[in-house]
Amino acid sequence: MVEQVVMGVSKEVDADAPAGGLREQTIGVVDIGSNTVHLLAARTNGRSVFPLLDLSKSLRLGDDVDMEGSIGEWKLRELVRTVREYQVAAAEVGVDRLHLLATQAVRIAANSQEVCDTVVWETGLPVEILAPDIEASIAFMGVDAECPSVGPQMMVDIGGGSMQIAVGQYGQVWDSVSLPLGGARVATHFLPSDPPTDLEEAGLINYLAQVVPPALPLPDTNITGGIGVGGTLRRISALLGMKPRQNIDSDAIEGIIAVLRGRTVAEIASRYGLKPEQAKLLLPVMLLVREVLKGYNFPPFVVAAYGIREGAILYLARGKG
């Protein structure tokens, strides 16, 4: 049993319990992240997620927090406008009420309460700020629904502002950690040049080698597989021409890093058909993943399509069943 908190409700959920008997329902979740504000509306029976609507908008709330310590007025207005748009779109596919979940950027912003108060005042929807361990637990539930455990597994979920690492089995987290090492945050603080210089990359690699290994949860566990979560990691898998859940070994990871190294954002964006803000995150995210996998002796590694949004939908469905 794991205790989770979503939308202000604390309850114990058996993540491994069968979902039989739960009624099918339509649920919408908005993930307010450091880079993007992402809506997923889906039909679910508590076991599977059938997407109806998947929208995202890049607001980069984390940039404001990194530079000023708080979310600026313009970004807050854009956030409200985006949530309103999502309310309309979600209602058209049968969602009665959206669930707003905020992660690192809102979590650490000096004006987080003001942000939440403004959103609820303007839209009528409360914002649930997820604690890091709850964020990891919900993402892990989503991952396990797509990639069921055959043994202890490790999840690394890299967002824009933070990285969650969790170890567990059968959808239940045994231990987790949250580090302020999201792709955008690392790119801004450690790789400011375009392309990043050899000295910048070496500095980041050295820093990660110092801070990641001692922070890893349950590093002595016999991990049978690693799962990557997050939009940037999903792009990496697609760029390699790999099928979903196809194993990415250490040689492939080194090959990706070698291809990205020394290239400008414009070159990467043009080569892979990405937006510049997406291309900028590829190298730092791969360096983060490599350091985490190294700490678990490079277990078989796949990238999941499911993550925190799918996990939240499953959690909510099971909680209402």
Side-chain angles (χ1 to χ4, degrees):
M1 303 292 284
V2 288
E3 183 176 285
Q4 299 180 340
V5 179
V6 175
M7 302 310 296
V9 178
S10 175
K11 62 181 77 176
E12 286 190 336
V13 174
D14 186 347
D16 192 36
L22 294 182
R23 64 183 177 85
E24 188 173 276
Q25 54 196 296
T26 302
I27 297 176
V29 169
V30 177
D31 174 13
I32 304 174
S34 296
N35 267 345
T36 62
V37 178
H38 201 131
L39 163 67
L40 177 64
R43 293 291 293 172
T44 181
N45 57 7
R47 180 184 289 114
S48 301
V49 177
F50 307 95
L52 300 172
L53 191 62
D54 194 336
L55 303 174
S56 66
K57 187 171 184 179
S58 178
L59 292 190
R60 303 185 67 84
L61 301 178
D63 285 356
D64 278 22
V65 176
D66 274 349
M67 291 185 293
E68 305 293 338
S70 61
I71 295 171
E73 183 179 347
W74 184 85
K75 290 282 182 74
L76 181 51
R77 288 201 304 269
E78 285 298 300
L79 174 59
V80 168
R81 184 178 294 111
T82 300
V83 171
R84 283 174 171 165
E85 291 172 359
Y86 287 173
Q87 282 181 289
V88 173
E92 291 175 351
V93 297
V95 174
D96 294 328
R97 180 173 173 273
L98 287 178
H99 299 269
L100 309 186
L101 308 178
T103 55
Q104 181 72 358
V106 177
R107 188 161 57 219
I108 67 172
N111 63 337
S112 61
Q113 189 60 57
E114 176 191 349
V115 170
C116 295
D117 290 346
T118 300
V119 171
V120 72
W121 176 262
E122 296 287 346
T123 69
L125 299 175
V127 179
E128 178 73 25
I129 301 177
L130 298 181
D133 59 329
I134 301 302
E135 180 180 351
S137 291
I138 293 174
F140 199 83
M141 182 182 288
V143 161
D144 191 72
E146 181 190 7
C147 307
S149 307
V150 294
Q153 62 184 9
M154 179 276 298
M155 176 198 76
V156 54
D157 182 356
I158 304 178
S162 65
M163 174 171 67
Q164 326 300 322
I165 307 166
V167 172
Q169 191 173 2
Y170 305 132
Q172 298 184 36
V173 171
W174 298 341
D175 194 14
S176 66
V177 67
S178 178
L179 299 174
L181 294 173
R185 203 157 196 258
V186 167
T188 298
H189 288 276
F190 292 92
L191 305 176
S193 301
D194 186 21
T197 67
D198 292 343
L199 187 61
E200 289 171 352
E201 184 181 335
L204 173 57
I205 292 171
N206 181 62
Y207 178 76
L208 296 180
Q210 293 179 49
V211 302
V212 172
L216 293 176
L218 305 177
D220 296 327
T221 304
N222 183 23
I223 298 296
T224 60
I227 302 178
V229 180
T232 301
L233 280 176
R234 285 194 290 273
R235 291 185 188 98
I236 287 288
S237 186
L239 296 181
L240 290 173
M242 289 184 160
K243 298 177 182 178
R245 300 183 296 282
Q246 184 175 345
N247 184 51
I248 303 175
D249 60 23
S250 59
D251 288 340
I253 290 173
E254 294 297 338
I256 297 167
I257 292 172
V259 167
L260 297 172
R261 183 177 288 130
R263 296 186 184 274
T264 65
V265 166
E267 289 171 339
I268 295 171
S270 175
R271 178 169 181 165
Y272 296 114
L274 299 174
K275 296 177 181 178
E277 60 267 26
Q278 298 169 338
K280 184 178 181 180
L281 304 184
L282 296 181
L283 179 59
V285 164
M286 292 313 302
L287 294 175
L288 286 164
V289 166
R290 182 176 68 176
E291 191 61 42
V292 172
L293 291 176
K294 189 187 303 181
Y296 293 101
N297 297 313
F298 283 100
F301 181 69
V302 300
V303 175
Y306 280 19
I308 188 171
R309 291 178 292 278
E310 290 80 6
I313 284 174
L314 291 172
Y315 170 84
L316 290 163
R318 295 173 188 181
K320 292 178 179 179

mmCIF file of all heavy atoms in Angstrom, residues 59 68 72 96 113 143 173 199 234 257 271 275 320:
data_model
loop_
_atom_site.group_PDB
_atom_site.id
_atom_site.type_symbol
_atom_site.label_atom_id
_atom_site.label_comp_id
_atom_site.label_asym_id
_atom_site.label_seq_id
_atom_site.Cartn_x
_atom_site.Cartn_y
_atom_site.Cartn_z
ATOM 1 N N LEU A 59 5.431 27.216 -21.737
ATOM 2 C CA LEU A 59 5.391 28.490 -21.006
ATOM 3 C C LEU A 59 6.708 28.774 -20.289
ATOM 4 O O LEU A 59 6.970 29.912 -19.913
ATOM 5 C CB LEU A 59 4.244 28.487 -19.986
ATOM 6 C CG LEU A 59 2.820 28.482 -20.530
ATOM 7 C CD1 LEU A 59 1.830 28.722 -19.397
ATOM 8 C CD2 LEU A 59 2.629 29.522 -21.612
ATOM 9 N N GLU A 68 14.287 34.968 -11.329
ATOM 10 C CA GLU A 68 13.723 35.930 -10.394
ATOM 11 C C GLU A 68 13.271 35.321 -9.065
ATOM 12 O O GLU A 68 12.952 36.043 -8.123
ATOM 13 C CB GLU A 68 12.522 36.649 -11.038
ATOM 14 C CG GLU A 68 12.835 37.326 -12.359
ATOM 15 C CD GLU A 68 13.793 38.500 -12.198
ATOM 16 O OE1 GLU A 68 13.889 39.042 -11.075
ATOM 17 O OE2 GLU A 68 14.457 38.860 -13.194
ATOM 18 N N GLY A 72 6.544 35.321 -13.027
ATOM 19 C CA GLY A 72 6.176 36.687 -13.354
ATOM 20 C C GLY A 72 4.720 36.852 -13.748
ATOM 21 O O GLY A 72 4.016 35.886 -14.058
ATOM 22 N N ASP A 96 -15.647 16.470 -17.215
ATOM 23 C CA ASP A 96 -16.469 17.351 -16.395
ATOM 24 C C ASP A 96 -15.636 18.394 -15.661
ATOM 25 O O ASP A 96 -16.036 19.554 -15.531
ATOM 26 C CB ASP A 96 -17.269 16.542 -15.366
ATOM 27 C CG ASP A 96 -18.292 15.636 -16.025
ATOM 28 O OD1 ASP A 96 -18.818 16.022 -17.089
ATOM 29 O OD2 ASP A 96 -18.546 14.543 -15.489
ATOM 30 N N GLN A 113 1.821 30.439 -3.721
ATOM 31 C CA GLN A 113 0.458 30.585 -3.218
ATOM 32 C C GLN A 113 -0.325 31.573 -4.070
ATOM 33 O O GLN A 113 -1.506 31.354 -4.365
ATOM 34 C CB GLN A 113 0.477 31.053 -1.764
ATOM 35 C CG GLN A 113 -0.891 31.021 -1.090
ATOM 36 C CD GLN A 113 -1.493 29.630 -1.067
ATOM 37 O OE1 GLN A 113 -0.899 28.699 -0.551
ATOM 38 N NE2 GLN A 113 -2.689 29.483 -1.650
ATOM 39 N N VAL A 143 4.079 4.416 -15.245
ATOM 40 C CA VAL A 143 5.093 3.617 -15.913
ATOM 41 C C VAL A 143 4.776 2.132 -15.808
ATOM 42 O O VAL A 143 4.888 1.374 -16.772
ATOM 43 C CB VAL A 143 6.485 3.916 -15.307
ATOM 44 C CG1 VAL A 143 7.474 2.810 -15.628
ATOM 45 C CG2 VAL A 143 7.006 5.254 -15.814
ATOM 46 N N VAL A 173 6.364 2.329 -5.133
ATOM 47 C CA VAL A 173 7.706 2.884 -4.942
ATOM 48 C C VAL A 173 8.247 2.474 -3.573
ATOM 49 O O VAL A 173 7.580 2.659 -2.551
ATOM 50 C CB VAL A 173 7.677 4.425 -5.055
ATOM 51 C CG1 VAL A 173 9.024 5.025 -4.646
ATOM 52 C CG2 VAL A 173 7.326 4.845 -6.478
ATOM 53 N N LEU A 199 34.752 22.525 -22.040
ATOM 54 C CA LEU A 199 34.943 22.836 -20.628
ATOM 55 C C LEU A 199 33.603 22.833 -19.887
ATOM 56 O O LEU A 199 33.514 22.327 -18.764
ATOM 57 C CB LEU A 199 35.626 24.197 -20.473
ATOM 58 C CG LEU A 199 36.041 24.607 -19.056
ATOM 59 C CD1 LEU A 199 37.039 23.598 -18.499
ATOM 60 C CD2 LEU A 199 36.643 26.015 -19.059
ATOM 61 N N ARG A 234 11.512 10.788 -24.696
ATOM 62 C CA ARG A 234 10.695 10.189 -25.750
ATOM 63 C C ARG A 234 11.165 10.654 -27.126
ATOM 64 O O ARG A 234 11.111 9.891 -28.096
ATOM 65 C CB ARG A 234 9.220 10.520 -25.536
ATOM 66 C CG ARG A 234 8.577 9.713 -24.409
ATOM 67 C CD ARG A 234 7.070 9.795 -24.441
ATOM 68 N NE ARG A 234 6.586 11.106 -24.067
ATOM 69 C CZ ARG A 234 6.346 11.486 -22.819
ATOM 70 N NH1 ARG A 234 6.568 10.646 -21.822
ATOM 71 N NH2 ARG A 234 5.898 12.684 -22.540
ATOM 72 N N ILE A 257 25.164 10.836 -27.397
ATOM 73 C CA ILE A 257 25.934 11.949 -26.833
ATOM 74 C C ILE A 257 26.990 12.418 -27.829
ATOM 75 O O ILE A 257 27.184 13.626 -28.023
ATOM 76 C CB ILE A 257 26.579 11.535 -25.490
ATOM 77 C CG1 ILE A 257 25.493 11.334 -24.428
ATOM 78 C CG2 ILE A 257 27.583 12.581 -25.024
ATOM 79 C CD1 ILE A 257 25.989 10.742 -23.132
ATOM 80 N N ARG A 271 18.386 19.084 -38.007
ATOM 81 C CA ARG A 271 18.668 17.682 -38.301
ATOM 82 C C ARG A 271 17.526 16.763 -37.889
ATOM 83 O O ARG A 271 17.198 15.805 -38.595
ATOM 84 C CB ARG A 271 19.955 17.257 -37.595
ATOM 85 C CG ARG A 271 20.313 15.789 -37.796
ATOM 86 C CD ARG A 271 21.713 15.494 -37.314
ATOM 87 N NE ARG A 271 22.060 14.102 -37.522
ATOM 88 C CZ ARG A 271 23.291 13.607 -37.461
ATOM 89 N NH1 ARG A 271 24.300 14.419 -37.205
ATOM 90 N NH2 ARG A 271 23.532 12.330 -37.646
ATOM 91 N N LYS A 275 11.871 21.843 -32.366
ATOM 92 C CA LYS A 275 11.914 23.255 -32.015
ATOM 93 C C LYS A 275 13.235 23.523 -31.290
ATOM 94 O O LYS A 275 13.774 22.629 -30.622
ATOM 95 C CB LYS A 275 10.739 23.609 -31.104
ATOM 96 C CG LYS A 275 9.381 23.435 -31.752
ATOM 97 C CD LYS A 275 8.262 23.728 -30.766
ATOM 98 C CE LYS A 275 6.898 23.530 -31.406
ATOM 99 N NZ LYS A 275 5.793 23.766 -30.446
ATOM 100 N N LYS A 320 -11.819 6.733 -7.386
ATOM 101 C CA LYS A 320 -13.261 6.994 -7.517
ATOM 102 C C LYS A 320 -14.069 5.710 -7.685
ATOM 103 O O LYS A 320 -15.278 5.746 -7.663
ATOM 104 C CB LYS A 320 -13.532 7.896 -8.732
ATOM 105 C CG LYS A 320 -13.008 9.318 -8.564
ATOM 106 C CD LYS A 320 -13.281 10.110 -9.831
ATOM 107 C CE LYS A 320 -12.800 11.548 -9.694
ATOM 108 N NZ LYS A 320 -13.028 12.317 -10.928
#
